[in-house]
């Protein structure tokens, strides 16, 4: 069948019974089995599931880019009625880029650092459509404007390193759209971006999809994002599609135990770390060559029936009355889908004690040379400006804000990895502001510890898990003998709910969530009283996220730990924090209890942050406030209020005050602080950003 005879009422992409394996010297590793899905013209299909479930493998199979080891061993992939699996390289070259385009997770992987943006964009129509150079550059400028980048003339003459992450990702989207493809594959396109930038890019993708009539295959582990972008969803588990259907139907009338377990492990509004804790999925994801017989999800499923669920391969079963709704479960008609979960354990709220950490007027400036090789004029980067707050024993204080707002700088100063320019840090009545970590005594170092964002970078790959924890105990001078330290190491493994046998494992033998638990065990080795958790769950799957956050809460209840939780994920923040500090360009712009910060009155920046968070709940409506532009440079901050260049409320303040003067901190009811020129009346009149649909 040629492309010209394709009937637009048929699916543009039809994947049937696709199986993909990777071949190593030892064995064949089946990555995807019996996978089927179809995407109609103009439709957006979301592929969701945990890391390793085969989402990206399916996308790469559609692009026919599985590398030397990957092979399609069964099934077909039809694009506009033509089977891609039988095409030769020449035919594929005509389709890739012009008819099917792909946007990857890491924008710099798709950009040439040595070429100007305009030249990289213009290449696409010149190669695929034979367009002249002048026409191609004109089109490049037009598409840069289409993806809402400021000053297109400057951008097309810039190099990739001169753009922010969000701008780079927009350029990659522009590049994918240059040839007006019929199918766009997006593989986690916003994972590395701030929530405010993500909101802009999601709106952009939807808008451009409608404008060009592009069909989409959108890969993500963020269910809220899939609800925002997609019409249909396909949930994958361990190489198989386990549920598929219309997005709203699957969210509201899920018919597979894995879909239900995923939803129970994400912090939707209403979840509470004490009264309604998240339920993590028990057990671990099976390795491809260790899959169980029958249902892949069986060993982790609450509804598993021995002798039935593990007897034979399970087919996808259509759900009657649904919009192409299907479930790969034998028992879906027998389960009471509306029953509340049986296993939810209600936790005691931990009492909050005395102040253990107090920061007053903390400033951190860096001197930066602007010229090449350290020459040129010296400039000052104001990373933290007049930071003041206190944290109490047993409290979780969340610090939120976009990249570049100064969250991590503040954490480094607290840890002693950097020293502050001025101000004081009182830790248990000792001022540690100007004491670098190498000059701090062992007690101070052991009492303030950090859990880092990426568990892969923090472990020594050549040392087993037990030895890494014992090493920390030796540094903190814990125990009088090797036997005592070994016993304490096993207790720490118990504390983070890892089997004691893991002491002999090497980091490469652990999953991401298990590595993060080892990092947490090591942080608590010296009996830490204050733990700084810098995005500790952002690199983890949602089900693992639930387990790790609840683990942190359990340890906090037991040890009375003060937890400073740095995050840009406001869903997790609402779930586990007692108080929230919102930072913007080095300033604290809002501070209050979690309830105060998540309901009006808001600081205008907090309002925009909340409106940008995707929520996987069909009963919730969100006001959309997309921030224009990126965070200004800390080297050249705007005069007056740091947020005034992006604020939608600025016109409500008379006399150009926002342009001239730093706003005062207004103390509202209950100690709620907002750093803003808006009058108390305007603040009080703000409407909630997030509402239940029934309200």
């Amino acid at each position: 069948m040629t492309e010209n005879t394709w009937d637009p009422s048929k699916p543009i992409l039809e994947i049937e019974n696709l199986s993909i394996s990777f071949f190593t010297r030892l064995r064949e590793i089946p990555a995807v089995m019996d996978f089927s899905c179809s995407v109609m013209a103009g439709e957006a299909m979301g592929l969701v599931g945990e890391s390793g479930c085969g989402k990206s493998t399916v996308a790469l199979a559609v692009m026919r880019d599985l590398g030397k080891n990957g092979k399609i061993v069964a099934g077909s992939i039809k694009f506009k009625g033509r089977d891609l699996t039988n095409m030769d390289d020449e035919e594929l070259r005509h389709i890739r880029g012009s008819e099917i385009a792909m946007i990857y997770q890491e924008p710099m992987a798709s950009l040439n650092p040595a070429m100007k943006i305009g030249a990289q964009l213009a290449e696409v129509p010149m190669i695929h459509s034979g367009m002249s150079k002048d026409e191609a550059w004109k089109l490049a400028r037009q598409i840069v404007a289409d993806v809402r980048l400021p000053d297109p003339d400057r951008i097309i003459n810039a190099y990739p390193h001169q753009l922010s992450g969000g701008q780079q990702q927009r350029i990659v989207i522009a590049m994918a759209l240059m040839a007006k493809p019929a199918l766009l594959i997006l593989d986690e396109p916003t994972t590395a971006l701030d929530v405010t930038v993500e909101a802009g890019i999601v709106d952009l993708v939807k808008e451009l999809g409608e404008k060009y009539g592009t069909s989409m295959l959108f890969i993500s582990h963020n269910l809220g994002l899939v609800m925002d972008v997609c019409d249909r969803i396909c949930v994958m588990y361990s190489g198989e599609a386990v549920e598929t259907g219309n997005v709203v139907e699957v969210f509201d009338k899920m018919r597979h135990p894995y879909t239900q377990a995923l939803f129970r492990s994400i912090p939707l509004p209403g979840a509470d770390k004490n009264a309604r804790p998240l339920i993590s999925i028990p057990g671990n994801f099976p390795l491809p060559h260790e899959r169980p017989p029958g249902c892949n999800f069986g060993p982790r499923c609450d509804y598993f029936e021995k002798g039935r669920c593990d007897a034979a391969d399970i087919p996808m079963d259509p759900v009657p009355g649904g919009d192409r709704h299907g479930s790969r479960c034998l028992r879906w008609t027998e389960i009471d889908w509306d029953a509340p979960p049986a296993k939810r354990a209600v936790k005691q709220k931990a009492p909050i004690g005395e102040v253990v950490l107090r920061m007053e007027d903390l400033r951190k400036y860096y001197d930066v040379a602007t010229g090449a090789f350290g020459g040129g004029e010296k400039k000052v980067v104001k990373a933290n400006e007049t930071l003041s707050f206190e944290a109490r024993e047993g409290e979780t204080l969340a610090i939120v804000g976009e990249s570049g707002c100064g969250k991590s700088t503040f954490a480094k100063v607290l840890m002693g990895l950097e020293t502050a320019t001025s101000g004081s840090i009182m830790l248990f009545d000792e001022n540690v502001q100007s004491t670098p970590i190498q000059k701090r005594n062992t007690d101070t170092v052991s009492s303030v510890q950090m859990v880092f964002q990426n568990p892969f970078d923090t472990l020594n790959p050549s040392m087993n898990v037990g030895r890494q924890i014992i090493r920390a105990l030796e540094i903190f001078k814990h125990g009088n003998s090797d036997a005592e330290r070994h016993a304490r190491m096993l207790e720490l493994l118990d504390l983070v709910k890892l089997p004691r046998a893991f002491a002999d494992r090497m980091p490469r033998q652990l999953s991401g969530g298990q590595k993060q638990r080892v990092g947490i065990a090591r942080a608590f080795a010296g009996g830490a009283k204050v733990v700084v958790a810098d995005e500790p769950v952002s690199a983890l799957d949602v089900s693992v996220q639930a387990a790790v956050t609840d683990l942190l809460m359990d340890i906090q209840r037991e040890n009375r730990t003060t937890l400073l939780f740095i995050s840009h994920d406001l869903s997790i923040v609402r779930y586990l924090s007692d108080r929230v500090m919102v930072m913007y360009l080095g300033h604290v712009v809002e501070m209050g209890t979690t309830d105060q910060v998540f309901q009006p009155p808001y600081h205008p920046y907090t309002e925009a942050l909340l409106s940008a968070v995707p929520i996987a709940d069909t009963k919730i409506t969100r006001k959309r406030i997309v921030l224009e532009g990126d965070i200004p440079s800390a080297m050249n901050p705007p005069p007056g209020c740091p947020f005034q260049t992006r604020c939608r409320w600025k016109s409500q303040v008379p006399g150009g005050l926002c342009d001239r003067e730093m706003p005062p901190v207004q103390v509202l009811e209950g100690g709620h602080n907002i750093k803003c020129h808006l009058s108390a009346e305007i603040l009080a009149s703000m409407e909630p950003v997030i509402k239940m649909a029934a309200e």
Side-chain angles (χ1 to χ4, degrees):
M1 187 186 283
T2 63
E3 180 199 334
N4 300 335
T5 59
W6 172 66
D7 176 358
S9 67
K10 297 263 170 49
I12 191 164
L13 177 71
E14 196 167 11
I15 302 175
E16 287 187 338
N17 310 113
L18 180 70
S19 294
I20 302 165
S21 290
F22 288 89
F23 292 85
T24 68
R25 281 175 305 179
L26 294 176
R27 61 169 78 89
E28 174 187 348
I29 297 172
V32 173
M33 291 103 52
D34 189 33
F35 177 85
S36 300
C37 89
S38 59
V39 181
M40 303 302 286
E43 198 170 62
M45 164 71 88
L47 269 188
V48 301
E50 295 169 278
S51 306
C53 71
K55 309 185 294 289
S56 297
T57 306
V58 168
L60 291 170
V62 174
M63 293 299 282
R64 288 287 310 277
D65 184 21
L66 289 167
K68 285 198 173 78
N69 297 349
K71 275 206 179 72
I72 294 170
V73 291
S76 64
I77 304 170
K78 286 183 182 155
F79 172 70
K80 290 189 172 180
R82 302 164 69 198
D83 193 343
L84 296 173
T85 56
N86 300 330
M87 283 189 188
D88 60 27
D89 289 348
E90 189 57 37
E91 287 177 291
L92 284 168
R93 199 172 296 125
H94 284 298
I95 284 183
R96 278 193 202 122
S98 59
E99 295 253 1
I100 305 175
M102 186 157 175
I103 296 168
Y104 295 89
Q105 183 169 348
E106 179 45 66
M108 274 312 281
S110 310
L111 296 173
N112 182 337
M115 269 174 89
K116 285 185 175 173
I117 296 294
Q120 298 193 50
L121 291 170
E123 254 188 353
V124 179
M126 284 160 69
I127 290 169
H128 289 295
S129 322
M131 195 181 275
S132 73
K133 187 175 177 183
D134 287 351
E135 287 291 306
W137 271 80
K138 267 189 203 150
L139 181 63
R141 193 198 174 284
Q142 162 65 38
I143 292 232
V144 166
D146 269 2
V147 296
R148 295 206 285 267
L149 279 166
D151 194 359
D153 293 316
R154 179 184 72 80
I155 297 268
I156 59 173
N157 286 300
Y159 288 95
H161 72 269
Q162 294 171 308
L163 308 183
S164 70
Q167 289 173 331
Q168 287 171 0
Q169 193 61 289
R170 281 168 194 253
I171 291 298
V172 172
I173 290 171
M175 199 183 286
L177 292 167
M178 282 296 281
K180 300 192 171 58
L183 176 68
L184 188 57
I185 301 171
L186 302 102
D187 189 0
E188 303 266 15
T190 60
T191 303
L193 304 177
D194 280 311
V195 64
T196 47
V197 181
E198 177 179 84
I201 286 190
V202 164
D203 282 3
L204 173 73
V205 165
K206 277 161 58 182
E207 194 180 294
L208 294 172
E210 284 162 20
K211 179 175 176 178
Y212 295 118
T214 312
S215 307
M216 285 190 271
L217 194 59
F218 188 90
I219 298 169
S220 181
H221 63 262
N222 185 330
L223 289 160
L225 213 52
V226 168
M227 194 178 104
D228 277 357
V229 177
C230 301
D231 313 298
R232 300 184 60 73
I233 186 172
C234 176
V235 182
M236 288 187 75
Y237 181 80
S238 189
E240 292 180 326
V242 293
E243 183 162 13
T244 184
N246 173 298
V247 162
V248 175
E249 202 172 305
V250 171
F251 277 36
D252 287 350
K253 297 177 184 164
M254 56 196 73
R255 291 297 177 263
H256 195 281
Y258 176 61
T259 314
Q260 184 187 59
L262 266 187
F263 272 89
R264 286 177 175 174
S265 65
I266 57 176
L268 295 173
D272 178 285
K273 63 181 176 183
N274 299 311
R276 296 188 61 200
L278 301 179
I279 301 167
S280 57
I281 304 174
N284 287 316
F285 200 77
L287 292 169
H289 56 282
E290 293 174 357
R291 290 191 177 106
C295 175
N296 281 345
F297 188 58
R300 305 174 75 189
C301 180
D302 291 343
Y303 310 105
F304 179 74
E305 200 177 294
K306 198 165 171 48
R308 184 177 166 200
C309 297
D310 54 2
D313 287 349
I314 293 164
M316 186 68 96
D317 200 8
V319 175
D323 173 11
R324 292 182 278 155
H325 191 173
S327 169
R328 195 182 288 271
C329 176
L330 290 178
R331 301 199 57 201
W332 73 265
T333 54
E334 304 159 24
I335 294 168
D336 178 358
W337 295 100
D338 299 320
K343 289 184 185 168
R344 184 172 274 148
V346 176
K347 310 278 177 80
Q348 278 304 111
K349 186 172 176 5
I352 289 171
E354 298 295 310
V355 172
V356 295
L357 172 69
R358 180 180 280 114
M359 281 199 182
E360 284 180 10
D361 282 344
L362 185 87
R363 286 182 170 85
K364 175 60 185 172
Y365 296 171
Y366 294 96
D367 288 331
V368 177
T370 53
F373 309 113
E377 124 190 48
K378 287 267 192 286
K379 286 211 167 183
V380 173
V381 174
K382 298 180 175 182
N384 288 152
E385 277 277 33
T386 61
L387 268 182
S388 295
F389 74 92
E390 52 190 37
R392 298 169 185 276
E393 184 186 48
E395 176 181 56
T396 302
L397 172 66
I399 297 128
V400 299
E402 295 168 283
S403 307
C405 73
K407 309 186 296 286
S408 295
T409 302
F410 138 78
K412 286 177 189 163
V413 170
L414 175 59
M415 297 300 299
L417 301 171
E418 306 266 5
T419 52
T421 307
S422 67
S424 68
I425 304 173
M426 300 299 293
L427 183 65
F428 307 109
D429 304 325
E430 179 192 355
N431 189 354
V432 295
Q433 168 260 330
S434 54
T435 317
I437 194 159
Q438 59 270 34
K439 292 189 179 162
R440 292 185 180 183
N441 63 42
T442 309
D443 283 352
T444 307
V445 172
S446 64
S447 62
V448 185
Q449 284 292 301
M450 193 156 179
V451 178
F452 294 90
Q453 178 170 358
N454 197 338
F456 313 97
D457 295 343
T458 57
L459 299 179
N460 183 333
S462 58
M463 207 185 262
N464 71 26
V465 165
R467 184 75 202 109
Q468 306 214 26
I469 297 171
I470 287 171
R471 180 91 188 89
L473 292 169
E474 287 169 355
I475 290 167
F476 298 141
K477 300 184 170 54
H478 188 286
N480 297 318
S481 65
D482 288 349
E484 274 184 37
R485 283 188 279 273
H486 190 267
R488 176 66 184 146
M489 177 269 291
L490 294 175
E491 284 170 16
L492 285 163
L493 287 178
D494 295 343
L495 181 74
V496 296
K497 300 183 172 66
L498 281 177
R500 290 186 166 199
F502 274 42
D504 298 323
R505 288 203 182 180
M506 302 302 281
R508 66 174 183 275
Q509 296 171 292
L510 307 185
S511 69
Q514 289 165 345
K515 284 181 187 163
Q516 194 59 293
R517 284 165 189 256
V518 176
I520 293 168
R522 207 170 47 179
F524 281 93
K529 292 282 177 265
V530 177
V531 170
V532 181
D534 188 0
E535 302 268 16
V537 294
S538 63
L540 307 176
D541 281 312
V542 286
S543 57
V544 183
Q545 251 182 26
V548 172
T549 46
D550 273 3
L551 169 70
L552 281 169
M553 294 297 102
D554 286 344
I555 294 174
Q556 182 181 50
R557 288 183 191 98
E558 201 173 305
N559 293 11
R560 313 278 298 114
T561 319
T562 304
L563 188 65
L564 301 182
F565 191 87
I566 298 173
S567 183
H568 66 264
D569 183 342
L570 288 163
S571 304
I572 290 262
V573 164
R574 172 173 34 205
Y575 170 65
L576 58 77
S577 64
D578 301 303
R579 283 191 308 137
V580 180
M581 178 165 110
V582 182
M583 288 184 70
Y584 185 82
L585 203 58
H587 294 262
V588 176
V589 293
E590 181 163 7
M591 179 133 185
T593 65
T594 307
D595 287 345
Q596 286 168 344
V597 171
F598 276 81
Q599 58 197 23
Y602 309 111
H603 185 281
Y605 176 56
T606 310
E607 179 190 46
L609 273 184
L610 291 174
S611 87
V613 179
I615 299 171
D617 191 334
T618 56
K619 294 181 271 312
I620 286 212
T621 55
R622 280 187 359 261
K623 188 190 288 185
R624 292 295 271 168
I625 304 160
V626 174
L627 288 180
E628 299 298 327
D630 294 312
I631 285 196
S633 162
M635 202 186 296
N636 190 19
C641 171
F643 187 57
Q644 51 106 342
T645 56
R646 301 166 82 194
C647 181
R648 75 188 192 105
W649 291 87
K650 187 176 164 184
S651 59
Q652 304 281 328
V653 178
L657 204 56
C658 300
D659 295 326
R660 295 193 316 272
E661 287 183 28
M662 181 63 70
V665 175
Q666 301 186 47
V667 182
L668 309 176
E669 193 182 339
H672 183 188
N673 290 1
I674 293 183
K675 193 174 198 170
C676 187
H677 285 302
L678 286 174
S679 68
E681 293 76 41
I682 291 175
L683 286 171
S685 70
M686 282 185 165
E687 293 180 348
V689 171
I690 299 165
K691 286 183 181 174
M692 294 299 282
E695 285 179 12

